[in-house]
Amino acid sequence: MSNLTYDRIMEDLAGVLSNFHGREYGGRITPETWFSADLGLASIDAVVLGETLEEHYQRPIPFNRFLSELGARQVRDVRIGELADFLHRELNHA
């Protein structure tokens, strides 16, 4: 699955995150939506999200690299658009 557009990845993320592990989010998920502040997700949810996205795209994703980058910047929350940017680079890299 290569040549995924940013918009397609955002659609995929919105679909996955709108009902993530039984937590429904009724608002519109956009690039400006915050992972924790808006969606109420915790850091452990990021690990599960990484696994879910690997299943969705049927390929390994170096999600730990994304989390490490956030940790190095001491980021406590992240916008979904930043995750989409990362996925766009990684999924179209190979």
Side-chain angles (χ1 to χ4, degrees):
M1 202 178 248
S2 59
N3 296 322
L4 287 164
T5 65
Y6 176 87
D7 290 339
R8 178 67 217 179
I9 291 169
M10 274 303 306
E11 287 175 26
D12 292 344
L13 284 172
V16 168
L17 292 170
S18 64
N19 187 7
F20 188 66
H21 283 264
R23 281 187 239 165
E24 292 185 32
Y25 180 73
R28 186 166 175 259
I29 296 175
T30 71
E32 299 302 314
T33 303
W34 289 95
F35 188 78
S36 296
D38 293 327
L39 300 176
L41 300 173
S43 56
I44 189 67
D45 293 316
V47 174
V48 175
L49 178 60
E51 294 169 356
T52 302
L53 292 172
E54 285 185 344
E55 289 174 20
H56 178 80
Y57 292 113
Q58 298 184 354
R59 61 180 283 192
I61 298 171
F63 208 72
N64 59 334
R65 184 182 317 145
F66 179 69
L67 297 177
S68 293
E69 289 172 10
L70 296 178
R73 294 184 355 224
Q74 298 181 344
V75 172
R76 295 194 193 285
D77 204 350
V78 63
R79 287 187 172 106
I80 301 305
E82 191 171 356
L83 173 57
D85 286 337
F86 172 79
L87 291 171
H88 186 253
R89 281 191 315 269
E90 292 300 324
L91 293 171
N92 290 305
H93 182 262

